[in-house]
Structures are given as structure tokens and as C-alpha cells.
Amino acid sequence: MSDAPSIVLTEVSKWYGDVLACNEITATFGPGVTGLLGPNGAGKSSLIKVITGMLAPSIGEVRLCGAPPFSSPHVMRRLGLVPEQDPIYPRATAYEVTAYLTRLHGFSAGAAAGAAKDALERVGLAGAMDRPVQGYSKGMRQRAKLAQALAHGPDVLILDEPLNGLDPVGRREIVDLIKELGAQGRCVLVSSHVLHEVESMTKRVLLMDHGRVIADGTLSELRRDLSDRPSTVRIEAGAPRDLATRLVGLEGVRRVELLPGGEGLLVLTARPDELFGEVARLVLEERADVRAFAPTDESLEAVFRYLTT
């Protein structure tokens, strides 16, 4: 697989009559995992349809592995899609559906059979691949869709809400698989509402709201861009009142609160780097009893909340 970008969007817009679903989106996705996030109606599903060639952009340019997907059927062999909709052919077995769809990518009957079995085993359906899909649970159907997307060995994977319906163990297994696929050099775009699990898959996210990209980058980059939002830092310390008196006058510190039970402090600061430096100095030079300190609002959920409210 090439290291060149696998998905390139240039000023892409898509509208349906008077409804603008995607508005002048420019972005590039290469090897690795990227989270595609946004509230309902943000335009994620429309963007996925444009990237995968199901819809043509109203204006702008899309390149999937170097070609426009809407008019280049050959690039579909390099694409794997987990759609939001349930699998087709519910009366067929997962193995039958996966082998059939793999043959459509040009595989021989024997090669498709082997690829289908390997993919179903990889997603944890080895013991259920000969059962009709209509008898599957929601989580099993999600696994079947992922197997169908993986069987032909695509370079690019578009996963629309792949964790829906999975139990906690299943979520962990699929998250690990998605991370593995990204580490192998595939371009993986994951649309999801499960923020903490997206955060465990990748540090790069694309945030959409009302059809626009409102942020694109790693979590640390996005949090740094929110310079007008002070950071909240939790400090666990043995003598929190003494520490509070040292920090309350520090430049950038806006508020210091004692944690319940005397376990430490919550510090609101506009200059977290200076706060971290001062805490480190107190520990090294004055032997302050500080056990741990970390920002509480640099999670994906916090950044997402800041940018969409």
C-alpha cells in the first residue's frame, strides 16, 4: 500500500434542493485511523456517501486512491465500507454473503471462499458463519458487515458507526481490530458517537457541525487552539491547602478549589504549561507532596463539547 494520501477532498459541497449537507469541505486522509465526529445532522453520512461514490459532490473534487470515486468503478476494489444499514440478504448465511460480495471484487470462487472465512474468523464469527444473518443479534450483524468490508483486502476502510449494538467485550475487540488495521497502513475513517472509544482508536479527529468542518487535527492540537477556554487541572496532593496558597497567585490561575475529602485541588488556569512547570518545580525543589496532576478537559468529549456548544 502506498504512503500517499488515500482520500483527498477539495472544497466539497453537497446539497439536496435547499438543504446544504456538506459545505466547502477540504481535508486529506492518509494511512492510519481518523475519527469522523459530529451531532446528528452534521453531514457525516452525506460526506461518507460522497467519499464512497454513492453520491456525486454538487461542487468540489473528491479523490479516492487518486481517482474520482463517483465515475471510477475500479477504485471500489480498494474500498471497504461498513454502512449504517444492516446486511443485505438476511436469509443467507454470513459466509454466503461475504463470499458472494468478495467474488464481485474479481476473486475466483475458491479465493473468495478462503477470504470470506478468514475475514469472518477475524471479526469473531467463526462459530456462527453458517447461520442465517436474520438470526444474528445487532452486534453480530455489525461484525458481519465488518467482515464483508475486510474480505477483499481494501486499502481504504470507511466505517459508519461500527460499534453500534456491540457489548463491552465486543466493542473492545472491534476497537483493537480497527487500531490494528490503521497500524498496517490502511486509511481508516470511523464515524461514531462513542467519543471515548474513538479516542482510544486514534488521536486525529475531524469534527463536523451543520455541514462544515469545525476542527481537524489531533486532540492536543485542537485543545491548544481553544486558547480562550481555560483548562481545568486536577492535582492530587498530601497537603492541598498549603499547595493552594502557592498556586493561587500564579499568573493565569483563575480559581483553585479543594477536592472533597482533602484529596487535592482543581485549578482553573489560562496558562496550563506555566502551572505544570510550577508544580514540577515545587516537587523537585521544595519536595511538595504531589502524587499526580493532569488536565481534566483534554478528552475528546470535552473538546467536542466546547466546539459544538
Side-chain angles (χ1 to χ4, degrees):
M1 285 174 284
S2 171
D3 289 334
S6 295
I7 303 170
V8 179
L9 309 173
T10 307
E11 297 184 353
V12 170
S13 295
K14 179 63 185 178
W15 55 77
Y16 310 95
D18 294 333
V19 178
L20 183 60
C22 299
N23 190 355
E24 297 183 343
I25 295 176
T26 296
T28 300
F29 307 97
V33 182
T34 300
L36 176 62
L37 303 169
N40 289 332
K44 303 189 301 299
S45 294
S46 292
L47 182 61
I48 286 174
K49 290 175 181 177
V50 168
I51 291 173
T52 57
M54 288 186 276
L55 294 173
S58 300
I59 57 172
E61 184 178 71
V62 182
R63 287 291 182 270
L64 179 67
C65 300
F70 188 76
S71 57
S72 305
H74 67 277
V75 303
M76 294 301 103
R77 294 185 179 183
R78 301 183 65 182
L79 172 68
L81 172 66
V82 173
E84 190 174 8
Q85 296 80 12
D86 275 344
I88 56 175
Y89 311 125
R91 295 184 181 180
T93 68
Y95 165 72
E96 290 169 339
V97 175
T98 306
Y100 171 69
L101 294 177
T102 304
R103 288 208 67 185
L104 294 181
H105 286 286
F107 284 61
S108 68
K117 289 179 180 178
D118 289 344
L120 289 160
E121 289 175 0
R122 194 172 188 185
V123 302
L125 287 179
M129 68 172 68
D130 293 322
R131 289 168 45 191
V133 174
Q134 66 182 359
Y136 278 10
S137 66
K138 175 66 173 176
M140 293 173 72
R141 293 197 299 272
Q142 290 293 94
R143 291 174 184 265
K145 288 192 289 186
L146 185 54
Q148 293 159 22
L150 288 175
H152 61 288
D155 297 333
V156 179
L157 283 158
I158 311 293
L159 313 180
D160 195 357
E161 300 289 350
L163 304 176
N164 275 357
L166 291 166
D167 60 27
V169 173
R171 287 176 183 269
R172 181 71 267 164
E173 291 173 350
I174 298 305
V175 166
D176 288 344
L177 176 56
I178 291 170
K179 290 168 63 177
E180 178 186 337
L181 294 167
Q184 291 172 352
R186 289 177 170 82
C187 173
V188 185
L189 186 62
V190 182
S191 171
S192 179
H193 287 87
V194 188
L195 300 184
H196 70 278
E197 284 166 344
V198 170
E199 190 170 9
S200 71
M201 294 180 213
T202 179
K203 296 304 179 187
R204 187 202 171 182
V205 294
L206 189 84
L207 297 180
M208 293 186 65
D209 195 26
H210 294 93
R212 287 186 175 272
V213 172
I214 59 173
D216 180 6
T218 66
L219 293 178
S220 58
E221 290 169 347
L222 298 185
R223 187 60 184 88
R224 283 198 301 269
D225 289 342
L226 295 170
S227 56
D228 60 329
R229 300 269 188 170
S231 293
T232 301
V233 179
R234 179 187 175 98
I235 305 175
E236 297 178 12
R241 292 183 183 275
D242 292 342
L243 183 62
T245 61
R246 303 287 191 95
L247 300 178
V248 71
L250 192 67
E251 189 171 0
V253 170
R254 300 186 181 181
R255 187 172 68 245
V256 178
E257 299 177 4
L258 289 171
L259 290 170
E263 297 177 353
L265 307 170
L266 280 180
V267 182
L268 188 70
T269 177
R271 299 188 178 184
D273 291 342
E274 292 185 16
L275 174 67
F276 294 153
E278 178 62 13
V279 171
R281 188 193 69 78
L282 291 171
V283 170
L284 294 173
E285 297 181 8
E286 302 187 24
R287 305 298 182 188
D289 183 11
V290 175
R291 298 158 190 169
F293 60 96
T296 65
D297 55 359
E298 289 193 355
S299 67
L300 176 54
E301 184 171 0
V303 171
F304 184 83
R305 185 174 62 250
Y306 285 156
L307 290 168
T308 57
T309 58

